[in-house]
Structures are given as C-alpha cells and as structure tokens.
Amino acid sequence: MKWTDLDDNWCPVARTLSLVGDRWTLLILRDCFLGLSRFDQFAESTGATRHIVSDRLKRLVEAGILEKLAYSDRPKRYEYKLTEKGQEFAPALIAFKDWGKKHLPVRRPTQA
Amino acid sequence: MKWTDLDDNWCPVARTLSLVGDRWTLLILRDCFLGLSRFDQFAESTGATRHIVSDRLKRLVEAGILEKLAYSDRPKRYEYKLTEKGQEFAPALIAFKDWGKKHLPVRRPTQA
DNA sequence: TGCACTAAGTTCCAAATAAGAACTTATATG
DNA sequence: CATATAAGTTCTTATTTGGAACTTAGTGCA
C-alpha cells in the first residue's frame, strides 16, 4: 500500500501522516516555525536534496499548510510562509521536540 | 543525506525524526496506543508490507520505544509493548490526531 | 500418521523514490 | 562582458519499498 492512499483512512493520525508523515516534510515545517522561508534555506538547513525540497514544498502548498508568496518581482523570487492551518501544527512539533530533548540527548556535539 | 544521519543533529526534533519520522513507524506506534501488539495485527491494521513491519519493529525495539516479549513458549510467539519511553510519545500522536480531525475531514467513508 | 493451520518472520524481484551533482532561467552587479 | 544569486529542474545511480511467496516451529484434528 502506498502512503498517499492513507488520505481517506478512518484514522485522523493516518490522514495527517499521508500529508506530512515524512522526515523532510516535518523538518521543513520545523524550519518554518524557526522563521526560515526560502528554498535555499530549507535545502541547507535540513540537508535534504533540492529535489526533495522542491517536491515537499509543492505538496505543502497544495495541502494549504504553506503558501508561496513573491517577495521580489524582478527577478521573480518566492518565499514560503505557514498558513493558519500550518501554524496549528505547532503542538505536534513541540511534542517531538520535548520527547527528543528528554529521550535523545546529543552524544557527539555537531561540528561547530 | 540519509535520515539516520540526523541522529546527532543539534535539533531535538530532527533527532526524534531520525528514529520515528516515517509514516509506517508512526502508524505502528498509533496501533500500540490502541492496544495492538502482534506482528500480524500491525501488518493488517497499517497496510504496510510484512517486510516494513519487521524492519520498523526492529528499529523501535533497538531504540527502546517498544519491547519484545514472549507470550508463548511453545511455539515461540512474541508481542510488542510500549516501554515508558514509548508511552511518553503519546502527546505527539494526540497532536497529530487533533490536527487531522480539524483539518482533514474524511471525504469518502472507508468501505465498511 | 499425516494434513491443514497459525504466528512471526524472511526472501525474492520489480517498481518507486531518493541522493548528489550539474544544469537552467532570469536578473543584477562590477 | 563575466560573475553572482535564487529558485528550481534534470540526469544517473543507489537505496528503499511493494507484493507475493516461502520458512519455521509447533498445534489440532480426523
């Protein structure tokens, strides 16, 4: 079974996962909450390939979680912002953060 | 970059995702909270292939989120139960559930 | 005895997805 | 003109997944 087939599952958790149940998608959302909004920022911050960033942003916009806004007309440049629907995803990310802080302490510090 | 490389990321959300940031893993956890505990139950309930169920259960046990317990000795039969660490993941699933209920209503009822 | 059945996996191959790097497009800047 | 920037796209190769069949160890009839 493919994961997008979960979109009309009886379970609201499954339906949510069919949209955002993938690590890169959730990392991009985290970045949005941290104030990032541009393609290159997402690519660098998450470590996902540009291909993936492109695909995930497209899905998130289609789902109404992010909106794509032009911040420059010449040259055309876009940024991505959380919609209200997206903002309301905060509790889930906070729950992930709390769980990670408590149960997954960093062993090796990231190379500064 | 591979997602398991996120395990020592500075961000606790990323570290959490390196472990459970995948749709089937989260669906299996949902099932555990719903009281399911056996291999075949997970496979049927989530719709994931047995291959995936096997892999994800292994990871979850290694991570200390589930524990594998024998419920029968002859023949050897096992079940999977949430550890305390796993139990504490509840808030994240509840956040997913709430968001899904609010923002992703079911269109077509699942064939009863 | 032997045949079917169950639970918990494993194995196999084809198909889908992801990684990584290079390329494109439109414009601005020196 | 040459270089730089932002936001993607394209390409090839590698990894992961899907789906079905097979395995293992034991139980329960008939």
Side-chain angles (χ1 to χ4, degrees), chain B residues 5-26:
Chain B
D5 294 347
L6 292 171
D7 68 343
D8 63 342
N9 195 280
W10 62 273
C11 171
V13 175
R15 294 200 301 279
T16 301
L17 291 173
S18 84
L19 225 53
V20 300
D22 137 270
R23 39 199 150 282
W24 303 126
T25 303
L26 287 166

Side-chain angles (χ1 to χ4, degrees), chain A residues 39-106:
Chain A
F39 191 95
D40 283 9
Q41 293 177 320
F42 295 131
E44 195 196 328
S45 163
T46 63
T49 64
R50 310 176 72 73
H51 191 84
I52 298 291
V53 173
S54 174
D55 177 77
R56 296 306 191 272
L57 287 174
K58 211 166 289 169
R59 284 177 203 266
L60 286 168
V61 169
E62 267 168 31
I65 293 170
L66 296 183
E67 51 188 342
K68 183 177 183 172
L69 305 163
Y71 69 86
S72 153
D73 262 335
R74 274 188 343 287
K76 277 279 182 197
R77 291 293 142 83
Y78 302 95
E79 65 181 347
Y80 298 84
K81 292 289 190 185
L82 289 162
T83 60
E84 187 153 340
K85 188 171 169 181
Q87 295 279 356
E88 292 186 21
F89 204 75
L93 285 171
I94 290 168
F96 272 54
K97 183 199 68 181
D98 290 344
W99 192 88
K101 274 188 137 164
K102 175 158 185 190
H103 294 290
L104 304 172
V106 207

Side-chain angles (χ1 to χ4, degrees), chain A residues 6 8-16, chain B residues 27 30 34 97 106 110:
Chain A
L6 292 170
D8 64 341
N9 195 279
W10 62 273
C11 171
V13 175
R15 294 199 302 279
T16 301
Chain B
L27 278 184
R30 174 206 64 181
L34 293 175
K97 183 199 65 181
V106 206
T110 313

Side-chain angles (χ1 to χ4, degrees), chain B residues 25-36:
Chain B
T25 303
L26 287 166
L27 278 184
I28 288 173
L29 285 179
R30 174 206 64 181
D31 280 354
C32 290
F33 280 103
L34 293 175
L36 305 193

Side-chain angles (χ1 to χ4, degrees), chain B residues 1 38-39 50-51 54 58 68 71 77-78 80:
Chain B
M1 189 207 254
R38 299 186 187 171
F39 190 96
R50 309 176 72 73
H51 191 84
S54 174
K58 211 166 287 169
K68 183 177 183 173
Y71 69 87
R77 290 294 143 83
Y78 302 95
Y80 296 85

Side-chain angles (χ1 to χ4, degrees), chain B residues 9-94:
Chain B
N9 195 280
W10 62 273
C11 171
V13 175
R15 294 200 301 279
T16 301
L17 291 173
S18 84
L19 225 53
V20 300
D22 137 270
R23 39 199 150 282
W24 303 126
T25 303
L26 287 166
L27 278 184
I28 288 173
L29 285 179
R30 174 206 64 181
D31 280 354
C32 290
F33 280 103
L34 293 175
L36 305 193
S37 64
R38 299 186 187 171
F39 190 96
D40 283 8
Q41 292 178 319
F42 296 132
E44 195 195 328
S45 163
T46 63
T49 63
R50 309 176 72 73
H51 191 84
I52 299 289
V53 173
S54 174
D55 177 77
R56 297 305 191 273
L57 286 175
K58 211 166 287 169
R59 285 177 201 266
L60 286 167
V61 169
E62 268 168 30
I65 293 170
L66 297 183
E67 51 187 343
K68 183 177 183 173
L69 305 163
Y71 69 87
S72 153
D73 262 335
R74 274 186 345 283
K76 277 280 182 195
R77 290 294 143 83
Y78 302 95
E79 66 182 346
Y80 296 85
K81 291 290 189 182
L82 288 161
T83 60
E84 188 155 337
K85 189 171 170 181
Q87 295 278 357
E88 291 186 21
F89 204 75
L93 285 171
I94 290 168

